Amino acid sequence: MYDINKIREDFPILLRTVYGKPLIYLDNGATTQKPKCVVDSIVNEYYSVNSNVHRGVHFLSQQATNLHEASRETVRKFINARSTSEIIFTRGTTESINLVASSFTDAFMKEGDEVIISVMEHHSNIVSWQLQAEKKGIVLKVIPMNDKGELLLDEYEKLFTDKTRLVSVAHVSNVLGTINPVKRIIETAHAHGAYALIDGAQSIPHMKVDVQELDADFYVFSAHKIYGPTGIGVLYGKEELLEKLPPYQGGGEMIQNVSFEKTTFNELPFKFEAGTPDYIGTTAFACALDYVSAIGMDNIAAHEHELIVYATQRLKEIPGMRIFGEAENKGGVISFLVGDIHHFDMGTLLDRLGIAVRTGHHCAEPLMHRLGIEGTVRATFGLYTTREEIDALLSGIDRVRKMF
Ligand code: PLP
């Protein structure tokens, strides 16, 4: 049974008020709240274990190292990677994409080679490639979508040439909620001899992900969007591919031997982890993954699906409502505008009612251009979101609408 009241007790912040109103937190796409076990893990490790990892022979250092490496195993299991060598800890999705963009381009791309992205990408999956395009003259191609917010797979196929090296797309759009058919997208990339990177920032908190089943070459995500701490993320990469990529940053941890003449690099995954890692964060991240696993990713997906169906149906009853993103296969994101009400005005007035939503372009300006708008109001759900909160959102929107 999905015991929402019990789950909510694990998140102390949900008890607070804003402007004297109970907090209704519908900004989970930006970041999720943290259960007590995650915060406790941070406090306990600082109080009782803290010591730098991988470098010490002393007790605390070894204990911290064991916790850090056990967290890597927890991540491996969570996404069903073959080996912990394939799990690189980064600062988040953004850093993971930048790492691949930089190292993959160095290893595999020359001037004129092509990368395919989609029209609904987050800036991190656009600008990282543009930086490489400027340096190396690689070319970006863009998969278009239909008005429902679904990628046009026939058009996608047509983008391939003998210069296509990589396809890099979001699993779930952070604006439209579209769940992209990434298995098929990856298959098509492979059929054309290209690799595939999947941006899992908005999928990993909401569904079971199996990187082997998807056959993704790279899969990236952030801990803070799945109830873990900020500043930690993952780059999953197939081992044989990661072996071929040069390091992204230089420093401690990532080397085997250093002399002024020549440096040899450490083995995977450490080759890509220069400097002291956020080992306190990785332990807390593993706690977050254990927490969602105990509830069950399928149960979380079912709970959130029920909410999205209910919210969409009720929102459509509001006069002047325009919902952006009506894909057949859609996750817990609803972007909307009501009549001529500016998204900032809607967001600000909802905030005064205690309802936290996001407004603006959501780091997806090219998608806003495609939609012909400047921004939207975005409500995003989490495992603790209730029907009552959606009712409060609906009556809040209606109240704002009547004021205008
Ligand atoms: N990709 C998508 C689809 C996102 O929604 C986000 C964040 O909102 C990111 C990438 C960037 O994630 P982070 O800021 O955690 O690096």
Side-chain angles (χ1 to χ4, degrees):
M1 279 305 291
Y2 199 86
D3 190 344
I4 187 91
N5 293 327
K6 190 161 170 303
I7 287 171
R8 287 178 71 86
E9 282 171 15
D10 294 329
F11 294 83
I13 201 169
L14 299 179
L15 290 175
R16 71 160 291 174
T17 55
V18 289
Y19 308 113
K21 310 264 184 344
L23 169 68
I24 295 177
Y25 186 76
L26 299 176
D27 195 17
N28 295 284
T31 200
T32 50
Q33 300 304 343
K34 317 305 169 199
K36 276 187 267 186
C37 57
V38 167
V39 180
D40 288 348
S41 161
I42 294 168
V43 173
N44 292 339
E45 192 168 345
Y46 271 126
Y47 277 154
S48 61
V49 184
N50 181 43
S51 182
N52 207 335
V53 292
H54 294 143
R55 295 174 195 174
V57 289
H58 64 80
F59 186 87
L60 284 190
S61 175
Q62 294 197 4
Q63 203 176 5
T65 304
N66 291 344
L67 284 171
H68 180 59
E69 291 307 320
S71 306
R72 203 187 300 276
E73 168 58 17
T74 304
V75 175
R76 184 205 66 74
K77 243 174 52 199
F78 192 74
I79 59 169
N80 192 32
R82 277 172 216 85
S83 148
T84 49
S85 301
E86 302 184 315
I87 307 298
I88 316 292
F89 285 124
T90 64
R91 282 196 304 117
T93 308
T94 302
E95 191 176 56
S96 298
I97 298 175
N98 275 275
L99 191 165
V100 176
S102 169
S103 294
F104 184 92
T105 305
D106 282 348
F108 290 115
M109 299 189 79
K110 56 182 189 314
E111 195 176 339
D113 282 351
E114 296 162 358
V115 172
I116 297 177
I117 58 173
S118 90
V119 66
M120 60 179 77
E121 296 311 310
H122 187 277
H123 291 164
S124 58
N125 199 23
I126 302 172
V127 184
S128 314
W129 298 106
Q130 285 173 336
L131 292 174
Q132 297 304 321
E134 270 183 31
K135 274 199 264 178
K136 267 223 164 169
I138 63 170
V139 178
L140 276 188
K141 290 183 156 181
V142 181
I143 313 170
M145 67 177 198
N146 63 22
D147 290 339
K148 284 161 80 179
E150 295 162 326
L151 292 180
L152 297 173
L153 297 183
D154 291 344
E155 298 301 316
Y156 165 54
E157 281 253 25
K158 290 182 202 156
L159 296 177
F160 285 90
T161 70
D162 58 0
K163 290 177 179 239
T164 311
R165 300 285 168 258
L166 186 99
V167 175
S168 189
V169 294
H171 197 161
V172 173
S173 159
N174 66 318
V175 177
L176 307 166
T178 311
I179 302 173
N180 287 317
V182 289
K183 195 169 157 69
R184 191 164 154 204
I185 288 171
I186 293 167
E187 259 169 30
T188 306
H190 290 168
H192 287 85
Y195 293 106
L197 181 153
I198 304 301
D199 171 354
Q202 297 294 341
S203 47
I204 205 85
H206 305 295
M207 61 181 75
K208 212 174 220 159
V209 170
D210 181 330
V211 289
Q212 289 193 67
E213 210 252 323
L214 290 175
D215 199 21
D217 299 298
F218 302 106
Y219 199 97
V220 299
F221 53 99
S222 304
H224 72 97
K225 293 193 197 280
I226 182 165
Y227 312 99
T230 51
I232 293 283
V234 171
L235 160 63
Y236 158 81
K238 284 184 184 162
E239 189 166 354
E240 64 273 18
L241 191 50
L242 290 175
E243 289 286 5
K244 291 183 187 145
L245 303 191
Y248 175 53
Q249 293 178 330
E253 297 282 342
M254 52 77 75
I255 51 87
Q256 213 159 39
N257 295 105
V258 179
S259 71
F260 285 120
E261 290 71 38
K262 185 170 169 59
T263 291
T264 51
F265 302 122
N266 205 342
E267 59 193 17
L268 289 173
F270 310 110
K271 182 173 90 172
F272 293 107
E273 294 182 351
T276 298
D278 183 359
Y279 52 85
I280 303 281
T282 54
T283 311
F285 180 20
C287 292
L289 295 182
D290 287 340
Y291 180 81
V292 293
S293 297
I295 297 172
M297 289 311 293
D298 288 340
N299 296 332
I300 293 170
H303 170 72
E304 292 176 357
H305 181 72
E306 214 176 280
L307 293 178
I308 190 97
V309 170
Y310 174 69
T312 306
Q313 186 193 338
R314 294 285 321 276
L315 278 168
K316 283 182 175 170
E317 292 165 10
I318 296 175
M321 172 62 64
R322 275 192 296 162
I323 293 178
F324 298 90
E326 299 209 71
E328 292 300 321
N329 205 5
K330 186 173 166 174
V333 178
I334 299 191
S335 276
F336 63 89
L337 289 172
V338 182
D340 304 333
I341 305 170
H342 196 277
H343 47 97
F344 287 151
D345 292 335
M346 178 63 83
T348 307
L349 291 165
L350 287 175
D351 178 50
R352 287 281 157 177
L353 301 171
I355 304 168
V357 290
R358 190 143 289 247
T359 58
H361 55 57
H362 316 296
C363 297
E365 278 194 63
L367 176 59
M368 295 299 132
H369 298 155
R370 164 64 180 82
L371 295 169
I373 53 178
E374 270 177 37
T376 70
V377 184
R378 184 186 74 174
T380 44
F381 307 150
L383 55 81
Y384 37 60
T385 306
T386 64
R387 233 170 218 257
E388 291 71 33
E389 288 182 311
I390 289 168
D391 289 338
L393 170 70
L394 291 157
S395 66
I397 295 169
D398 214 36
R399 210 165 136 188
V400 175
R401 184 183 67 84
K402 285 177 181 146
M403 284 167 65
F404 275 81

